[in-house]
Amino acid sequence: MTNLPIRTALDASLDFVLPAELEATRPPEARGLARDEVRLMVSCRANDHIIHDRFSEIEHFLEPGDLLVVNTSGTMNAALSATRADGTPLEVHLSTHLPANLWIVEVRLKREEQTFPFSEMQAGERVPLPGGASLHLLTPYSAGEGRLQPARQRLWIATLELASPLQEYLAHYGFPIRYNYVPEAWPLEYYQTVYATEYGSAEMPSAGRAFTPELIARLVAHGIQIVPLLLHTGVSSLEEHEPPYEEYYRVPVETARSINAAHANHKRVVAVGTTVVRALETVTDVDGVTHPGEGWTRLVITPQRGLRAVNALLTGLHEPRASHLLMLEALAGREHLRKTYAAALQEQYLWHEFGDLHLLLP
């Protein structure tokens, strides 16, 4: 696959104007809501029927025998304050931990309480980090064939020199990555799903944020099966609308078996988030059989490639012309997306990780 089909698809993908007032600037809890009281738009692609409800009522749209697949990756304090040798204030975002203890990182310019893309870093630079640690930029990260190349260098391959274990260091000196539409800093627990088991994501797999232990218990009692996998998310690509970068995943044997059994019994497989879709599609063959697996995935899902593992999706609302919209189009078709996103705009749903959710059903 070359760059051209992805560029062409993005150019032709869903485009709209996202009003600033529809960007979720605070967690639901800070808006007087419980986690599961965010809004839920439910759409059926077979007839374009759209229902508006609360996420706490999701059990009414799921059936006994449905299989929910969740991403149990925990969010790290992946942002670090730093200062360049010339005194420029920076913020380092740790994205993906690669083999050989290498990292994909993003270095951003820090101005007051906001950060911005920064393209002046050079290969070989060492950036001092808090607590006597340092970051060594080795070479620009190249996404390789099949990826959109950014107009400026945004990501780097780097090494970290730390005096303590990673999670211990990040717990002491790091903080959650946030973008300029969230003006206030929030503790890590606001960026964590209730079922996270293993730290590793640079940014929260946010489609699962609204689940609570009580809601999960109700779903299980309703006959809905919930199975885990792991995909550690990298930094998002809000400025460039680039496809996602390589990310580590792990699909357990029992999860693969449950998905294959659900398909064999004509049950719905509902991915909780685009990260789940990416991991499952990486290990599902052309015959629709899902296999256990572990590694780093560079898969980009387009309508031309299609989906094999899932037939329903719970997800947030994505930015105009974002690459994730191609995945949604592969599931539901462009016309269905046009109708649902028009409805979300009209009904004033909230976007981003602290926003509302969309359940796409067959």
Side-chain angles (χ1 to χ4, degrees):
M1 181 170 60
T2 64
N3 289 335
L4 183 59
I6 299 175
R7 284 199 182 98
T8 302
L10 278 174
D11 290 340
S13 68
L14 191 65
D15 199 3
F16 54 93
V17 175
L18 178 61
E21 62 268 22
L22 297 188
E23 296 186 302
T25 60
R26 297 180 298 162
E29 297 91 322
R31 307 196 304 266
L33 302 173
R35 274 191 178 229
D36 62 358
E37 288 181 332
V38 296
R39 298 176 71 192
L40 177 68
M41 177 171 61
V42 183
S43 67
C44 299
R45 60 182 185 266
N47 56 11
D48 290 332
H49 186 51
I50 299 172
I51 300 171
H52 304 289
D53 212 318
R54 291 283 174 184
F55 185 79
S56 56
E57 303 300 317
I58 191 173
E59 64 191 282
H60 300 302
F61 306 103
L62 299 174
E63 302 169 354
D66 282 348
L67 181 69
L68 289 185
V69 188
V70 301
N71 180 7
T72 59
S73 177
T75 312
M76 302 185 296
N77 278 324
L80 294 161
S81 295
T83 304
R84 203 179 185 195
D86 62 4
T88 302
L90 303 172
E91 188 168 295
V92 173
H93 291 177
L94 304 182
S95 177
T96 304
H97 199 178
L98 299 172
N101 208 27
L102 298 173
W103 282 88
I104 300 173
V105 303
E106 180 182 16
V107 181
R108 294 174 67 89
L109 177 66
K110 191 166 187 176
R111 190 177 296 148
E112 296 180 347
E113 291 301 313
Q114 296 186 320
T115 67
F116 302 89
F118 188 64
S119 58
E120 298 180 14
M121 303 303 295
Q122 301 293 322
E125 278 198 62
R126 287 188 179 273
V127 181
L129 297 175
S134 66
L135 176 75
H136 185 199
L137 301 181
L138 301 179
T139 186
Y141 174 75
S142 174
E145 185 180 45
R147 305 277 137 345
L148 289 174
Q149 298 301 319
R152 53 180 166 70
Q153 185 53 45
R154 193 170 71 89
L155 299 178
W156 291 86
I157 299 291
T159 57
L160 280 176
E161 297 177 4
L162 306 178
S164 57
L166 175 67
Q167 296 304 333
E168 180 182 324
Y169 176 81
L170 294 181
H172 191 74
Y173 295 106
F175 47 92
I177 291 174
R178 65 184 172 98
Y179 293 100
N180 295 340
Y181 56 82
V182 179
E184 185 178 351
W186 297 95
L188 185 62
E189 55 262 31
Y190 286 95
Y191 292 87
Q192 211 69 268
T193 61
V194 298
Y195 48 71
T197 60
E198 181 178 328
Y199 286 117
S201 280
E203 299 181 21
M204 174 176 53
S206 56
R209 187 189 189 277
F211 284 99
T212 64
E214 295 78 13
L215 178 55
I216 291 172
R218 290 207 317 267
L219 292 175
V220 172
H222 189 58
I224 294 156
Q225 186 180 2
I226 301 175
V227 296
L229 56 71
L230 190 80
L231 185 136
H232 291 324
T233 69
V235 295
S236 63
S237 304
L238 299 177
E239 295 86 12
E240 295 293 339
H241 302 297
E242 299 158 350
Y245 303 96
E246 58 189 316
E247 295 168 318
Y248 174 79
Y249 71 91
R250 185 167 67 241
V251 178
V253 171
E254 288 304 320
T255 295
R257 286 176 180 165
S258 296
I259 291 166
N260 294 330
H263 285 308
N265 292 314
H266 307 289
K267 301 297 184 180
R268 295 185 297 193
V269 176
V270 185
V272 178
T274 57
T275 61
V276 169
V277 178
R278 195 182 199 204
L280 289 181
E281 293 297 321
T282 298
V283 296
T284 300
D285 62 31
V286 293
D287 296 319
V289 178
T290 299
H291 304 271
E294 179 178 6
W296 282 262
T297 179
R298 288 191 169 193
L299 179 64
V300 176
I301 298 167
T302 65
Q304 292 75 24
R305 191 265 185 193
L307 292 175
R308 303 163 184 168
V310 306
N311 46 31
L313 172 65
L314 176 69
T315 184
L317 294 158
H318 301 282
E319 287 205 334
R321 298 183 64 247
S323 60
H324 285 313
L325 289 171
L326 298 178
M327 180 188 294
L328 271 62
E329 186 179 335
L331 175 69
R334 185 172 301 172
E335 287 308 309
H336 185 72
L337 285 188
R338 288 189 194 281
K339 292 175 181 177
T340 57
Y341 271 68
L345 290 167
Q346 181 177 346
E347 297 294 327
Q348 297 192 308
Y349 278 69
L350 296 181
W351 261 248
H352 303 314
E353 66 269 27
F354 294 139
D356 298 316
L357 293 165
H358 181 192
L359 177 62
L360 292 107
L361 296 175

